[in-house]
Amino acid sequence: MFAPLIAQQDGNNTFVLLVFLVLFVSIISLFAFILFAKYFNLWIQSKTTNANIGLIELIGMTFRKVNPNIIVRSKIMAVQAGVTDRDGVTRQNLEAHYLAGGNVMNVIRALIAAQRADIPLTYKRAAAIDLAGRNVLEAIQTSVNPKVIDCPDPAKGRQTVDAVAKDGIQLKTKARVTVRTNIDRLVGGATEETIIARVGEGIVTTIGSAETHKTVLENPDMISKRVLEKGLDAGTAFEILSIDIADIDVGDNIGARLQADQAEADMRVARAKAEERRAAAIALEQENLAAVQENRAKVVAAEAEVPKGIAEAFRRGQLGIGDYYSLKNVQADTEMRAAIAGTGTNARRTLDSGTAD
């Protein structure tokens, strides 16, 4: 009685297991088909071009957050150009450079360009240059085709390098510097701004040491020769090939302007000193007038003591009436003579009032 039931239950379990197995295999197959369809094109390109990047490796790039399109295309470019794993261009190195934030495609293009131009450049150095923030492809192109730099840089707002010769005449100069990238000094070397600054400094020094501006106008190549002799490309990422003076114009007479400004300043100083002396003279005059008035006040005070002395002499009996009248007669004669001569009391008072005014 129980045997048929047990057999029926076993059959149901087997059917359920079979259904789950079919679903599991279908899901796995669907997932595998999606992955295969997604990476099949890249895998075919890799196999047909001997890039040798397998399907499993392509799937692993997705989990490592690496763009497989960039890696495969870069590897294919390298292989087709003859840059192989022996040169350091392996899948692992490309992935590491991508994860470090580098421009993988730019590095591969730079390696190919260097190989075509017979410039010694390894993948390790190219990757280091790229990670240092330099455009390695542009550096290789500049090594093959030298670059011309304007001095000064018009983008900075200045159009000419201004310098003054010993005779005071200003010269406005434009220069063009032809440079080539020095791959060995590209990492850690100074940039174009340093080249422009050094060339500008050399131009100013050369013009400033010239006796007259006519000497520079007659031989503008003297600027190029003296600037080149200083080795301005030391410590930079470039090698200076030539410095050419594109234009040189005569500016203002700075020496005459400075002399005029100095003369104006000297005149102002002289005026200030003269005004200071005038003020001191006026102050001294006022002090003398005050001293005169003070002395006159003392004279008046002394004259006021004379009547007191006469009265005291009368009281003591040292002066008689006859003596007093004789004194008055003398005073009257003196005042009369003074009035006749114009130096009397009235004349003195008039003179005093005029002086006070």
Side-chain angles (χ1 to χ4, degrees), residues 125 128-129 132 134 182-191 194 234-238:
R125 180 180 290 274
I129 293 172
R134 299 292 182 87
N182 191 326
I183 302 299
D184 295 333
R185 295 201 304 255
L186 192 57
V187 176
T191 58
T194 302
T236 66
F238 300 95

Side-chain angles (χ1 to χ4, degrees), residues 306-356:
V306 173
K308 295 181 180 179
I310 294 174
E312 185 65 25
F314 270 118
R315 283 195 295 269
R316 293 182 179 181
Q318 296 175 350
L319 184 65
I321 296 298
D323 297 331
Y324 174 71
Y325 281 110
S326 296
L327 178 61
K328 296 294 287 183
N329 290 330
V330 172
Q331 288 180 348
D333 293 339
T334 302
E335 289 181 359
M336 181 181 65
R337 293 190 183 96
I340 294 173
T343 57
T345 303
N346 295 330
R348 185 172 63 251
R349 290 177 180 175
T350 304
L351 180 62
D352 293 341
S353 62
T355 303

Side-chain angles (χ1 to χ4, degrees), residues 56-291:
I56 302 300
E57 295 170 343
L58 291 173
I59 297 174
M61 290 181 193
T62 302
F63 292 103
R64 289 190 292 271
K65 298 185 181 300
V66 177
N67 191 337
N69 292 312
I70 294 178
I71 302 301
V72 171
R73 287 167 56 194
S74 300
K75 193 71 166 63
I76 290 174
M77 277 197 309
V79 172
Q80 293 296 319
V83 182
T84 61
D85 292 352
R86 290 176 298 179
D87 299 316
V89 185
T90 63
R91 176 189 58 81
Q92 292 85 350
N93 288 339
L94 294 179
E95 287 191 37
H97 190 67
Y98 180 87
L99 291 173
N103 191 332
V104 178
M105 296 289 290
N106 219 30
V107 171
I108 298 301
R109 291 193 182 99
L111 287 173
I112 296 172
Q115 186 187 50
R116 294 290 187 270
D118 198 18
I119 297 175
L121 179 66
T122 63
Y123 173 80
K124 183 177 180 181
R125 180 180 290 274
I129 293 172
D130 184 66
L131 291 178
R134 299 292 182 87
N135 191 328
V136 61
L137 179 59
E138 182 182 353
I140 297 298
Q141 292 173 346
T142 305
S143 297
V144 177
N145 185 19
K147 182 179 181 180
V148 177
I149 303 174
D150 291 329
C151 179
D153 188 1
K156 302 296 183 180
R158 293 187 62 88
Q159 301 297 325
T160 58
V161 177
D162 301 339
V164 181
K166 289 184 178 180
D167 60 354
I169 304 300
Q170 181 188 53
L171 295 179
K172 299 177 179 291
T173 309
K174 291 182 181 179
R176 289 181 178 173
V177 186
T178 304
V179 297
R180 179 172 59 196
T181 303
N182 191 326
I183 302 299
D184 295 333
R185 295 201 304 255
L186 192 57
V187 176
T191 58
E192 297 179 9
E193 286 77 7
T194 302
I195 294 290
I196 295 174
R198 290 181 179 180
V199 172
E201 179 184 359
I203 292 174
V204 172
T205 302
T206 303
I207 295 177
S209 61
E211 292 296 332
T212 63
H213 70 286
K214 296 180 181 179
T215 305
V216 181
L217 292 176
E218 292 173 356
N219 302 297
D221 58 332
M222 65 179 290
I223 300 177
S224 304
K225 292 179 180 179
R226 292 189 182 181
V227 172
L228 282 174
E229 290 172 356
K230 295 183 178 181
L232 302 180
D233 53 2
T236 66
F238 300 95
E239 176 186 356
I240 297 179
L241 301 179
S242 66
I243 299 176
D244 304 309
I245 303 301
D247 187 20
I248 182 168
D249 296 324
V250 178
D252 299 331
N253 192 336
I254 303 298
R257 182 189 300 174
L258 292 176
Q259 291 178 356
D261 293 341
Q262 185 63 42
E264 180 68 21
D266 293 342
M267 184 176 64
R268 291 178 181 176
V269 172
R271 285 178 179 176
K273 291 182 177 179
E275 183 66 23
E276 181 180 357
R277 290 194 297 270
R278 189 180 73 85
I282 293 175
L284 180 60
E285 181 183 3
Q286 295 298 323
E287 291 178 359
N288 292 334
L289 291 177

Side-chain angles (χ1 to χ4, degrees), residues 12-30:
N12 293 334
N13 292 335
T14 302
F15 178 75
V16 171
L17 290 175
L18 182 62
V19 170
F20 276 111
L21 181 62
V22 170
L23 290 175
F24 179 74
V25 172
S26 299
I27 293 173
I28 295 298
S29 300
L30 180 62

